[in-house]
Amino acid sequence: MPEDRFGRFFLRVVACHTVTYFVAGLLAFTLLDYATAFQSEHMACWMRPTTSRWVALGPGLQWIRGLVFALVLWPFRGVFLEGGRGWLRLWGLLLGLGILSTYGPAPGSVEGFLYTTIPPLDQVKGLSEVVGQSLAFSILLVAWYRRPHKAWAYVLYTLTGLVMLMSLAGALAPR
């Protein structure tokens, strides 16, 4: 099994997740006008406004989700790091369990469509962010293992550090 050490796997998962999360979030924030969307009656009751310090801090705290992902994916890493179409297997797992079939009524999930009052079109628009991010994460992580090179680490660890610093700066900035 490639690079069979949890520490390295954890760092790579965190870096790939944090960078793709930040890019997908930035695109969605801009293209889907989250500042307005989060103030709508359907979202304001459970989403913080985009001006919140917690929202600014969110990208810098993605190492926590990265840790959860790494712990959950570690026993199954051979399924997607070895063999054909590993990125597709990983993405299918994330898409099926983490997005479409969550245990709670997350927007865009089966439960979200059934039990929330969020208009279906708004839920589909929101899916573009998480589906795109999970796809990018899957491709990036598997590619890093399939084509190992120090450049991956330099670029992705540097970008992760920058995301964390920008996130902290955003949370500490005067309101």
Side-chain angles (χ1 to χ4, degrees):
M1 190 152 329
E3 315 243 358
D4 203 24
R5 292 190 350 232
F6 181 76
R8 179 168 287 174
F9 183 75
F10 162 68
L11 291 174
R12 288 182 178 190
V13 168
V14 166
C16 291
H17 170 66
T18 300
V19 170
T20 59
Y21 177 92
F22 182 77
V23 171
L26 189 60
L27 287 171
F29 180 85
T30 304
L31 299 174
L32 300 177
D33 189 17
Y34 276 5
T36 302
F38 284 17
Q39 294 175 23
S40 74
E41 69 177 274
H42 300 290
M43 300 287 270
C45 64
W46 63 281
M47 291 297 291
R48 296 178 193 273
T50 57
T51 55
S52 167
R53 292 183 192 282
W54 285 106
V55 173
L57 198 56
L61 294 176
Q62 288 307 305
W63 68 269
I64 299 168
R65 281 184 74 202
L67 174 60
V68 173
F69 283 178
L71 289 169
V72 171
L73 294 174
W74 176 253
F76 308 102
R77 67 198 180 281
V79 172
F80 54 87
L81 294 180
E82 297 174 355
R85 298 192 177 117
W87 66 270
L88 186 59
R89 292 176 183 199
L90 177 56
W91 185 48
L93 179 68
L94 296 172
L95 190 62
L97 295 177
I99 298 170
L100 299 176
S101 193
T102 61
Y103 280 95
S109 71
V110 172
E111 298 286 307
F113 282 109
L114 289 174
Y115 297 117
T116 71
T117 59
I118 300 170
L121 184 58
D122 289 347
Q123 293 192 54
V124 170
K125 279 195 276 185
L127 274 174
S128 63
E129 178 185 5
V130 294
V131 169
Q133 189 265 331
S134 60
L135 175 61
F137 167 78
S138 300
I139 291 169
L140 193 58
L141 181 66
V142 172
W144 192 349
Y145 271 94
R146 299 268 172 98
R147 295 176 196 91
H149 195 278
K150 288 182 181 184
W152 289 103
Y154 292 135
V155 171
L156 289 168
Y157 293 148
T158 299
L159 289 174
T160 299
L162 289 172
V163 168
M164 290 180 170
L165 289 172
M166 288 187 293
S167 181
L168 183 60
L172 296 176
R175 297 283 181 245

